[in-house]
Amino acid sequence: MRFGEAVRDGYAVERKIEPFYKGGKVQLDQTGQHLFCVCGTKVNILDVASGAMLQSLEQEDQEDITAFDLSPDDEVLVTASRALLLAHWAWREGSVIRLWKAIHTAPVASMAFDPTSTLLATGGCDGAVRIWDIVRHYGTHHFRGSPGVVHLVAFHPDPARLLLFSSATDAAIRIWSLQDQSCLAVLTAHYSAVTSLTFSTDGHTMLSSGRDKICIVWDLRSHQTLRTIPVFESVEAAVLLPEELAPKLGVKSTGLYFLTAGSQGTLRVWEAASGQCVHTQQQLPGPGRELTHCTLVRAAGLLLTVTADHNLLLYKAHSLKLQKQFAGYSEEVLDVRFLGPEDSHIVVASNSPCLKVFELQTSACQILHGHTDIVLALDVFRKGWLFASCAKDQSIRIWRMNKTGEVTCVAQGSGHTHSVGTICCSRLKETFLVTGSQDCTVKLWPVPKALLSKSTASDGGPVLLQAQATQRCHDKDINSVAVAPNDKLLATGSQDRTAKLWSLPQCQLLGVFSGHRRGLWCVQFSPMDQVLATASADGTVKLWALQDFSCLKTFEGHDASVLKVAFVSRGTQLLSSGSDGLVKLWTIKNNECIRTLDAHHDKVWGLHCSRLDDRALTGASDSCVILWKDVTEMEQAEEQAKREEQVVKQQELDNLLQEKRYLRALGLAISLDRPHTVLTVIQAIRKDPEALEKLEATVLRLRRDQKEALLRFCVTWNTNSRHCHEAQAVLGVLLRHEAPEELLAYEGVQSSLEALLPYTERHFQRLSRTLQAATFLDFLWHNMKLPTLPAAPSAL
C-alpha cells in the first residue's frame, strides 16, 4: 500500500450557506432590491440580485422577533420582540435608533405603517391596537374591543381619511377612525381567520381573503359587501392587480382583478365582477408547495410568494415569469454534492422532496421538483453534468445540468419496495447506477444511451429507467453502496454490521468484511489502492484489504456514529464526519487525526470532495452547508514567513547586543514575546562593567506595556534558581523607582505578585542557609590548629 505522498494539514471555512428565513413575514422594499425576512431572533436583509445577506438585525433582548414592518418610503424599519420591546432601526447601517416598550401586555402579532411613513399601528396578542407617532416618539391611540390576537392591521391608502383596519380571531374586520378615536364599523362576512386586506387605487373598494375559502369585495363608503367570490382553497394572501391589461394573466379588460395564493400551491387570477378564475399557474408536483405569503410591489413590478417549505419565489407581476428563487430554510441537510466539470455548483438534498442547486459564484438558487417524498441521497457522474437522486418515494431520478446552469430531470425509475436510501454512479463512464434500499436489495440500473447524446431534448419528459439486476445483499437496511474506480466491484454497507464485496455486473458475492460492533453508515473505495474504508455507528473508521478482506487499520476519535468517510490527498488521507457534528482529517500512514473541523452543531450527513481535491463540502442537521478550502499551502507559507521574520529579528537582536544598544534590544526581545530571549538580553546587560546603572536606565525607559510584559517574564524566571538573579535584579529596579500606585495599576500585577512571593522566599531561605554555611566554614578555617610540617630532607 502506498501511504506516503504529499498530505494536507487542514481545511478552513470558505463559505456557509445558512438558513435566513424560518417562517413569518417577508417584505420587499419599493425598489425590489432588498428582501426582509424573519429568522428567529433576527430580521435578515438580503440583496435580491446576488442573494447575499447584507444585514442581520437582532434586538438587545435577543428574543424572537414577532413582527416587523418597513415604511413605504423604505427609510424606517421597526421590529417587535417577544420581550415586548419595539426597535426603530437605521437598517442600512444596522444600528438601533430608538428602543421603547410596546405597552401591550402580550407580544405584538402584527404591525403596519400608514402611507406617510409617520404613523405605526401595532396589533397585539392581548387584543389591543396601538398607534405610534414614529417622528415625535409617542403613542397617539389605543383601541380596545378586539377579541383574541389581532393578527392583521392595515391603514387606508388615503392618508386624509385617517382610517385603520384590523382583524382578530373572531374573523371580523374592524374599521377605526383616528379622528374620532372610535370604531366606525365591524364587517362580518368571513367565517374563518381573515388573512389579508388590500385596497383599490381610488380607495373606495377593499378586498379581504380568508381561510374560509372565500374572497370578499367591500364598498368602503357603505361598509357593505359588493361580492363574495368562492375560490375553493384556504387563501393566505390576495393582492389586487394593477388596473392595466395583462393578457398573459387573463386580464383582457379593465376592471378589478385579484390574485390569490393559498393551500393549493398555485397562483390564480380572478375577475372580481364575474367571480371567474381567468388564469391558473402551472401546478408543480410534490408536497410542501402550499403558499403561506404573497406580496406585490407595484413600483418594481414584482410578486413575492413563500411556500410551506420556506422557499421564496420572485415573479414578474405582469407575466408570473419566475425571476429568482431563494431557499430560506433547508431543515435537515441529508446529502450534498459538487456539480459541473469545474465544481461550479452544488446540489443539496434536505428534509424535503425538493432538491436545491446553488451556483457558488452568484448564490443563485434553483429548486428542483420531481420526487414526491424526502430525497435521501445523491451522487454525481464523472463529468459533472449528470447526477442522480433517490428518495423515500421508492424512486430514483437522473438530472442534467446544461451549460447555463439550468437543471432538468431526464430519467426516472422505480422498482424498490421500500425507501431508497443510497445511490452510487459508475466511475469510469456514465453507464450505470447502483441503488440500495431498506428492502435489503441492491439494484443495477443501466443509463440509456439516449441520455448521453448532447442533442437529447428534455421536452419529451423523463426517460423511464429499467433495473438490469436485483440482488438481496443483507438482512437489514442497506445504508451505503460504492462502486470501485474500475467499475468492476461493488461494496455495500448495512445495518447488520457488515460490509460486502460484489462483482459487477453479475452482483456475485466475493467476500464479507466483519468487525464493526454497530451498523455501517458509509463504504468508500480508495482511488489508488486495493482498499475499502467503512464508517460505523460504533464511532470508528476501518480500512480493509480487498484481497483477503482483513482489517488493515482502525481509526478511533469520534465520540458518536461516523456517518460519512471520503479519501483525499490521492488516497493517503481520510475525511470523516460524525453525528457529533465534527469533521476529522486522518493521515492513514500513522493513524493520526491531524485536524478536527468544528463548525456544525448537529449530525453531519453529507460529505463530498471536489475534483481537484482542494475543497470539501459538508451538510448537516443544523441546516447549514459549509464549503471548506484546503489551507495547507497557505499555512505553510505563513509558517515560512514567520520563520524568516524570526531569523531576521534574531540577527537584528544579536547586532544590537554587540553594539550594546540595550534599550532597542530589550524592546525587540519583548515584542517577540519570548521570555528566554529577553533573559538573554538582561544577562548581557548584567555582564556590563556598569551593570546596575545600565539595567536601571534601560528598564525605566521602557513603555508601560513593555514593563508589564517584563514583570510577567520575571515570574517565569523566578521559578528557576539559575535565573532568579536576573528576575530579582529587574524587580529591584521596578520596586525602587516605580511608585506603588503605578505598580498596582499594572495589568495582572496581583497574580504576578502572588506567583513571585513563594519562590522569592525560597530563594532568600537558600541564600540564608548558604551564608550560614559560609560563616561556619570561615570560623572553622580561622580556628584550625595545623601541626607544623617536618622540613623536607635535603637532596644529596
Side-chain angles (χ1 to χ4, degrees):
M1 291 176 67
R2 185 170 54 261
F3 290 146
E5 297 193 22
V7 296
R8 309 200 179 285
D9 289 334
Y11 292 84
V13 175
E14 182 179 343
R15 185 157 163 222
K16 265 189 180 186
I17 299 175
E18 294 182 283
F20 61 83
Y21 170 69
K22 292 184 179 179
K25 183 175 177 177
V26 292
Q27 190 174 354
L28 283 167
D29 66 356
Q30 295 302 313
T31 63
Q33 295 176 353
H34 300 100
L35 174 65
F36 298 75
C37 48
V38 180
C39 187
T41 61
K42 298 173 182 175
V43 171
N44 291 325
I45 305 170
L46 274 73
D47 179 56
V48 171
S50 68
M53 193 183 295
L54 301 176
Q55 295 282 0
S56 188
L57 310 178
E58 185 177 27
Q59 291 187 195
E60 289 176 9
D61 49 61
Q62 296 184 337
E63 292 279 349
D64 285 349
I65 301 294
T66 56
F68 79 90
D69 199 44
L70 179 70
S71 62
D73 62 5
D74 292 341
E75 292 302 318
V76 182
L77 176 73
V78 176
T79 60
S81 74
R82 202 169 283 282
L84 308 182
L85 288 174
L86 295 172
H88 176 182
W89 295 87
W91 60 269
R92 289 181 177 87
E93 293 79 32
S95 58
V96 176
I97 294 173
R98 182 168 160 258
L99 199 67
W100 75 99
K101 288 183 180 179
I103 308 180
H104 289 277
T105 57
V108 174
S110 57
M111 65 169 66
F113 273 97
D114 81 325
T116 64
S117 302
T118 56
L119 295 178
L120 175 75
T122 57
C125 294
D126 55 1
V129 176
R130 292 181 178 273
I131 298 176
W132 310 86
D133 189 318
I134 294 297
V135 178
R136 296 175 189 161
H137 305 161
Y138 70 96
T140 62
H141 296 75
H142 179 200
F143 296 124
R144 297 186 187 88
S146 303
V149 177
V150 181
H151 59 264
L152 188 60
V153 287
F155 278 96
H156 191 280
D158 183 358
R161 297 200 189 183
L162 291 172
L163 294 178
L164 176 72
F165 297 76
S166 71
S167 182
T169 47
D170 62 349
I173 302 166
R174 287 174 171 76
I175 306 175
W176 308 90
S177 169
L178 274 62
Q179 208 161 0
D180 302 337
Q181 298 196 4
S182 64
C183 181
L184 288 184
V186 179
L187 312 181
T188 54
H190 284 282
Y191 300 99
S192 187
V194 178
T195 52
S196 69
L197 298 173
T198 181
F199 303 88
S200 61
T201 48
D202 61 10
H204 299 318
T205 310
M206 179 178 75
L207 176 76
S208 64
S209 67
R211 296 198 179 113
D212 50 8
K213 304 185 179 182
I214 59 171
C215 289
I216 300 174
V217 182
W218 302 86
D219 184 344
L220 293 181
R221 286 168 291 194
S222 63
H223 300 156
Q224 296 297 315
T225 304
L226 288 178
R227 187 171 187 92
T228 300
I229 301 158
V231 293
F232 312 108
E233 70 168 332
S234 177
V235 181
E236 292 299 326
V239 292
L240 282 169
L241 294 175
E243 293 179 16
E244 54 191 59
L245 300 181
K248 291 183 179 178
L249 301 184
V251 181
K252 296 175 182 174
S253 62
T254 56
L256 214 57
Y257 287 85
F258 64 92
L259 180 141
T260 59
S263 57
Q264 289 186 9
T266 56
L267 295 171
R268 294 189 292 168
V269 180
W270 303 79
E271 186 182 20
S274 64
Q276 296 294 313
C277 178
V278 294
H279 177 78
T280 303
Q281 189 188 28
Q282 185 184 350
Q283 175 82 43
L284 289 167
R289 296 284 305 148
E290 301 89 352
L291 298 173
T292 58
H293 288 81
C294 181
T295 177
L296 174 71
V297 183
R298 290 172 186 259
L302 294 172
L303 185 80
L304 178 68
T305 66
V306 183
T307 70
D309 270 353
H310 303 103
N311 296 326
L312 287 76
L313 311 174
L314 199 61
Y315 298 93
K316 279 278 185 192
H318 298 295
S319 60
L320 291 189
K321 183 184 176 185
L322 189 61
Q323 292 288 103
K324 276 271 185 183
Q325 301 179 79
F326 302 95
Y329 181 50
S330 295
E331 214 169 329
E332 194 168 4
V333 177
L334 300 178
D335 210 354
V336 287
R337 286 290 184 277
F338 283 104
L339 283 186
E342 296 175 355
D343 298 326
S344 56
H345 294 65
I346 61 170
V347 58
V348 177
S350 59
N351 208 5
S352 157
C354 304
L355 290 170
K356 301 173 183 81
V357 176
F358 296 92
E359 186 179 356
L360 291 174
Q361 195 171 357
T362 64
S363 300
C365 173
Q366 187 179 349
I367 297 162
L368 309 179
H369 301 275
H371 286 288
T372 56
D373 209 337
I374 293 170
V375 179
L376 296 173
L378 302 164
D379 200 21
V380 63
F381 283 98
R382 187 173 63 92
K383 291 181 181 175
W385 297 114
L386 283 177
F387 68 96
S389 61
C390 60
K392 271 190 176 180
D393 60 10
Q394 305 174 16
S395 74
I396 66 167
R397 285 179 178 262
I398 298 178
W399 310 78
R400 176 190 283 134
M401 185 173 75
N402 63 19
K403 291 186 177 177
T404 61
E406 290 181 16
V407 180
T408 50
C409 180
V410 292
Q412 66 179 45
S414 57
H416 283 287
T417 58
H418 238 293
S419 300
V420 188
T422 177
I423 193 164
C424 189
C425 301
S426 53
R427 296 299 177 217
L428 278 178
K429 294 180 180 176
E430 298 167 333
T431 51
F432 65 88
L433 291 166
V434 178
T435 56
S437 166
Q438 284 186 8
D439 61 14
C440 306
T441 66
V442 160
K443 287 185 183 286
L444 184 71
W445 310 78
V447 176
K449 290 184 180 176
L451 294 187
L452 306 178
S453 62
K454 304 271 183 184
S455 59
T456 307
S458 57
D459 301 339
V463 177
L464 203 61
L465 296 173
Q466 296 287 343
Q468 177 185 316
T470 302
Q471 178 68 45
R472 184 177 172 86
C473 295
H474 292 270
D475 298 326
K476 289 187 179 178
D477 299 0
I478 297 171
N479 290 332
S480 180
V481 293
V483 175
N486 62 1
D487 284 352
K488 292 181 180 177
L489 296 173
L490 170 71
T492 58
S494 166
Q495 207 62 37
D496 64 7
R497 299 183 290 183
T498 65
K500 293 184 180 181
L501 191 67
W502 310 80
S503 65
L504 287 176
Q506 302 87 0
C507 286
Q508 287 182 336
L509 182 64
L510 299 176
V512 180
F513 304 96
S514 299
H516 281 291
R517 300 187 304 278
R518 301 281 294 277
L520 272 66
W521 281 113
C522 185
V523 291
Q524 202 69 257
F525 284 100
S526 168
M528 307 300 288
D529 302 294
Q530 300 283 308
V531 171
L532 181 77
T534 57
S536 166
D538 62 12
T540 66
V541 175
K542 289 181 183 287
L543 286 188
W544 309 83
L546 298 184
Q547 283 88 356
D548 56 4
F549 309 104
S550 62
C551 180
L552 300 171
K553 285 179 180 286
T554 300
F555 300 88
E556 297 180 358
H558 284 280
D559 293 330
S561 301
V562 186
L563 303 175
K564 280 285 192 294
V565 64
F567 284 91
V568 291
S569 309
R570 295 174 62 83
T572 61
Q573 290 180 297
L574 288 171
L575 267 178
S576 64
S577 67
S579 57
D580 50 8
L582 301 178
V583 178
K584 289 181 179 284
L585 179 63
W586 308 84
T587 299
I588 294 176
K589 188 175 182 180
N590 55 13
N591 276 47
E592 184 187 357
C593 174
I594 60 170
R595 189 67 64 95
T596 297
L597 310 174
D598 185 8
H600 287 290
H601 307 298
D602 210 339
K603 301 179 186 71
V604 184
W605 287 108
L607 172 67
H608 192 223
C609 297
S610 64
R611 256 161 229 286
L612 298 175
D613 220 12
D614 60 343
R615 293 189 296 176
L617 190 65
T618 55
S621 295
D622 58 6
S623 188
C624 283
V625 175
I626 298 179
L627 183 66
W628 305 85
K629 62 178 177 183
D630 176 24
V631 291
T632 306
E633 289 183 10
M634 195 187 305
E635 287 180 350
Q636 287 173 348
E638 286 176 5
E639 192 63 35
Q640 180 65 23
K642 277 183 184 175
R643 280 200 296 268
E644 289 174 2
E645 188 183 359
Q646 294 281 5
V647 168
V648 170
K649 286 190 173 179
Q650 187 62 50
Q651 184 61 52
E652 187 183 348
L653 188 66
D654 293 344
N655 293 342
L656 290 170
L657 289 175
Q658 187 72 29
E659 296 165 12
K660 295 190 177 182
R661 293 165 65 187
Y662 296 129
L663 182 63
R664 283 285 306 279
L666 192 57
L668 181 60
I670 291 171
S671 72
L672 289 171
D673 197 29
R674 283 165 30 189
H676 186 72
T677 308
V678 179
L679 180 66
T680 309
V681 176
I682 298 292
Q683 286 171 340
I685 297 172
R686 293 189 75 230
K687 287 176 185 173
D688 194 279
E690 300 171 356
L692 187 61
E693 294 80 3
K694 288 278 176 70
L695 185 63
E696 283 185 0
T698 306
V699 170
L700 293 175
R701 286 173 65 190
L702 292 174
R703 297 193 310 271
R704 177 171 161 174
D705 61 312
Q706 292 175 324
K707 289 177 185 175
E708 288 172 354
L710 195 58
L711 185 61
R712 286 199 307 274
F713 296 156
C714 285
V715 173
T716 308
W717 306 333
N718 199 47
T719 59
N720 190 324
S721 58
R722 283 181 298 175
H723 305 143
C724 65
H725 303 292
E726 286 78 10
Q728 294 297 325
V730 172
L731 279 172
V733 171
L734 291 173
L735 289 169
R736 279 196 304 272
H737 296 279
E738 292 281 310
E741 297 80 21
E742 288 182 25
L743 280 173
L744 287 170
Y746 280 16
E747 187 182 347
V749 69
Q750 188 173 351
S751 57
S752 297
L753 288 172
E754 287 173 359
L756 283 166
L757 280 171
Y759 282 100
T760 303
E761 286 175 5
R762 196 180 299 174
H763 297 321
F764 275 106
Q765 285 169 5
R766 193 177 66 252
L767 285 171
S768 298
R769 288 195 300 271
T770 308
L771 191 62
Q772 286 173 2
T775 308
F776 183 63
L777 277 173
D778 192 49
F779 172 75
L780 284 177
W781 175 254
H782 283 101
N783 287 283
M784 274 181 173
K785 291 182 180 178
L786 295 174
T788 53
L789 293 172
S794 59
L796 293 172

